[in-house]
Amino acid sequence: MKPQASVEDVQRVCEKIESLGFRAHPMPGAQRTAIGVTGNPGPIEPAEFESLPGVAEAIRVSKPYKLVSREVKSEDSLIRVGPAEGSANDGGALAGFVVGGPELAIIAGPCAVESREQALTAAESVKRAGARLFRGGAFKPRTSPYSFQGLGKEGLEILAEVRRATGLLIVTETVDPENCELVEEYADVLQVGARNMQNFSLLKRVGRSRRPVLLKRGMSATLEEFLMAAEYVLSEGNYNVILCERGVRTFADHTRNTLDLSVIPAVKRLSHLPILVDPSHGTGRRDKVIPLSRAAIAVGADGLIVEVHPQPDRALSDGYQSLHPQEFEALMAEIAAIARVIGRTTAASPRTMNDE
Ligand code: PEP
Ligand code: MN
């Protein structure tokens, strides 16, 4: 649509699309609204739309993914997390956050919620260092059925307490369509894990959710498969998807996974969705988390999701890749310095070599 198109103009185009038996996907941007069309069995005539008031142009999308593509929406998507601005939700104590804007989105916390004390201690420390969002799994997809599977509902209750006590927004994983409703009640962002990137029933379920979705790249997924997974979510009407690179499997044995940072500029070129980097699962080794975090920010990621544990050596999952709280503080200071160079911000103040 043209930047000056009215709400009625957008509405009229959507009605026209629906009257043809297709689905309309209006996606507002900072300057203008893009309207995607899906459900059409073949090409439709652009002229049908170009004559309507407020329409700037009608474009045939050449890619297999449609709604996630920059062809449909050229402007970067800003994903609002948490209560809407000015809402009375939570007594107004909780501030929302925008992923994909100038401030880097930093999500930090333990792999899994293990106890009230562990979660609250972790949350206080990552908040102090400048994180705005807290991560912690209550439902854990584990490679072994005998490994710790998470605290389930009790874990979600603990996350709700963390949210109340710290004001941090909550990112937590939903592992199947059946538990999604429960997780939605507690999460500000629904995480879909790497192992579930092609769980199509889960993708469709979170596509019908009102919560934003953090979609992790599958460990052997191509870029096209990754974007197609995101397309599942958008095609159901949830346009608030945050992508996340978390490493792919290669022959390398010096790390758990190979963090594919080259996917960041590739995604930026093809899609309007923001993308974060997970340097914890991406490397699997604590000593590599800070260096790869620096690189991720430098290469243009919209933020990080990092595992931090008050006592990594006693963690019930992923302790060997979890940062100590003071290491996370150092990470925040380092990326704050890099952010400044590339025109982005963080809630932490940069530390230079001279401060050491
Ligand atoms: C996690 O974030 O703890 C996790 C299980 O990540 P992934 O799905 O990327 O393995
Ligand atoms: Mn983990």
Side-chain angles (χ1 to χ4, degrees):
M1 301 298 287
K2 291 176 181 156
Q4 67 274 21
S6 67
V7 177
E8 292 73 36
D9 292 342
V10 171
Q11 185 66 28
R12 198 176 303 109
V13 173
C14 291
E15 279 163 15
K16 166 90 183 176
I17 294 166
E18 310 268 331
S19 76
L20 294 167
F22 312 143
R23 183 157 180 185
H25 301 269
M27 292 184 276
Q31 305 298 326
R32 55 192 205 147
T33 295
I35 306 173
V37 183
T38 60
N40 47 310
I44 40 183
E45 189 44 60
E48 288 218 54
F49 298 98
E50 279 172 341
S51 55
L52 294 174
V55 174
E57 52 184 341
I59 302 160
R60 207 164 276 163
V61 181
S62 61
K63 300 284 194 300
Y65 37 85
K66 310 291 177 193
L67 303 174
V68 306
S69 132
R70 277 225 194 256
E71 289 179 272
V72 161
K73 182 171 186 272
S74 56
E75 291 174 13
D76 288 343
S77 279
L78 301 176
I79 312 296
R80 282 177 184 77
V81 178
E85 255 169 80
S87 91
N89 193 352
D90 298 282
L94 201 76
F97 187 84
V98 175
V99 178
E103 182 174 340
L104 296 171
I106 308 296
I107 308 169
C111 179
V113 176
E114 299 168 3
S115 70
R116 198 176 157 267
E117 196 197 351
Q118 172 249 17
L120 283 165
T121 311
E124 293 295 348
S125 70
V126 302
K127 184 186 177 181
R128 218 176 307 117
R132 298 291 187 98
L133 301 100
F134 185 71
R135 63 149 293 149
F139 294 93
K140 295 302 302 177
R142 302 304 301 281
T143 301
S144 164
Y146 308 117
S147 301
F148 176 59
Q149 304 283 313
L151 295 179
K153 184 156 195 283
E154 186 193 344
L156 295 174
E157 297 285 354
I158 292 171
L159 289 171
E161 193 176 342
V162 164
R163 193 174 187 270
R164 276 194 302 274
T166 62
L168 292 170
L169 297 160
I170 302 298
V171 181
T172 196
E173 185 160 351
T174 171
V175 290
D176 57 53
E178 286 73 49
N179 87 352
C180 198
E181 194 174 340
L182 179 66
V183 177
E184 262 173 341
E185 279 177 41
Y186 295 85
D188 293 296
V189 177
L190 295 170
Q191 179 175 331
V192 173
R195 290 158 192 80
N196 272 322
M197 191 204 81
Q198 287 188 319
N199 179 341
F200 300 116
S201 49
L202 182 61
L203 295 176
K204 286 187 208 166
R205 175 61 186 79
V206 298
R208 292 190 294 272
S209 177
R210 285 170 44 245
R211 303 280 182 222
V213 175
L214 178 73
L215 177 64
K216 298 187 97 181
R217 180 182 180 186
M219 50 188 93
S220 66
T222 63
L223 173 52
E224 187 167 308
E225 288 164 340
F226 189 20
L227 293 176
M228 287 303 250
E231 184 78 13
Y232 263 89
V233 182
L234 273 76
S235 72
E236 293 290 329
N238 187 349
Y239 311 118
N240 297 316
V241 173
I242 304 158
L243 301 169
C244 179
E245 161 61 29
R246 48 79 71 205
V248 292
R249 196 159 275 180
T250 68
F251 50 82
D253 57 4
H254 59 287
T255 51
R256 181 179 177 186
N257 292 294
T258 297
L259 191 62
D260 177 17
L261 291 180
S262 70
V263 86
I264 307 298
V267 162
K268 291 279 171 202
R269 197 167 66 82
L270 297 172
S271 177
H272 52 86
L273 298 175
I275 179 162
L276 309 185
V277 166
D278 175 346
S280 308
H281 296 85
T283 63
R285 311 280 167 92
R286 183 178 306 135
D287 63 311
K288 296 181 177 62
V289 170
I290 292 183
L292 270 297
S293 297
R294 289 188 213 118
I297 299 308
V299 87
D302 295 292
L304 303 171
I305 175 165
V306 187
E307 287 184 339
V308 182
H309 195 288
Q311 291 174 293
D313 301 339
R314 302 182 66 172
L316 297 181
S317 61
D318 288 352
Y320 37 84
Q321 66 190 33
S322 299
L323 295 183
H324 292 96
Q326 65 275 23
E327 290 171 319
F328 178 66
E329 222 178 288
L331 179 156
M332 287 298 288
E334 294 193 20
I335 63 162
I338 295 169
R340 204 165 48 175
V341 177
I342 57 167
R344 301 196 78 155
T345 63
T346 67
S349 47
R351 184 166 62 179
T352 61
M353 303 285 259
N354 301 335
D355 296 340
E356 299 283 329

